[in-house]
Amino acid sequence: MSLMIIGADNLGSIEENVRDIGFTEIIHLSGRSKSAFRNFQLPVDIDMVLVLTDYIHHTAMKKVKREAKDKKVDVIYARRSWASIYKKLERRQIVS
């Protein structure tokens, strides 16, 4: 499965943790740069998007939400802590 993580400058151990769950391809895009979201499009082969809400500006959040809805891609919104991310993944039954 492929995952796009949007937000945060540095992922720390989050990238390793999502690999352990089963995501093989991980793409990270910082949410601070407004220029990165001018012509934002999700990659075609993305299975899920993880938005780290405490490190992204509102315009980027709206563009990601709209693009994911148009392409029918699951989006998870979580804070940049592994506990928060894991809890959201459990609710979606991605991890058990």
Side-chain angles (χ1 to χ4, degrees):
M1 285 179 39
S2 58
L3 174 70
M4 181 169 206
I5 302 174
I6 300 175
D9 296 330
N10 182 10
L11 294 178
S13 63
I14 293 172
E15 186 173 357
E16 183 180 325
N17 291 339
V18 293
R19 282 191 195 282
D20 291 343
I21 289 174
F23 290 99
T24 55
E25 184 182 345
I26 299 167
I27 300 169
H28 176 238
L29 181 62
S30 174
R32 294 185 190 251
S33 172
K34 291 184 180 184
S35 63
F37 290 94
R38 280 198 186 109
N39 299 317
F40 176 76
Q41 288 189 344
L42 285 174
V44 175
D45 58 344
I46 289 296
D47 297 316
M48 183 175 291
V49 176
L50 171 62
V51 178
L52 303 175
T53 57
D54 41 358
Y55 291 97
I56 187 169
H57 60 86
H58 292 281
T59 307
M61 178 88 76
K62 288 178 186 178
K63 288 187 177 191
V64 169
K65 187 176 183 179
R66 186 175 338 123
E67 184 75 14
K69 185 177 181 179
D70 290 345
K71 293 189 176 183
K72 295 177 176 60
V73 175
D74 270 346
V75 180
I76 293 177
Y77 301 96
R79 297 182 59 97
R80 190 190 171 267
S81 75
W82 180 242
S84 174
I85 294 167
Y86 191 82
K87 185 183 287 187
K88 301 284 180 148
L89 292 171
E90 273 185 328
R91 286 183 188 162
R92 296 277 178 99
Q93 299 178 349
I94 296 167
V95 294
S96 53

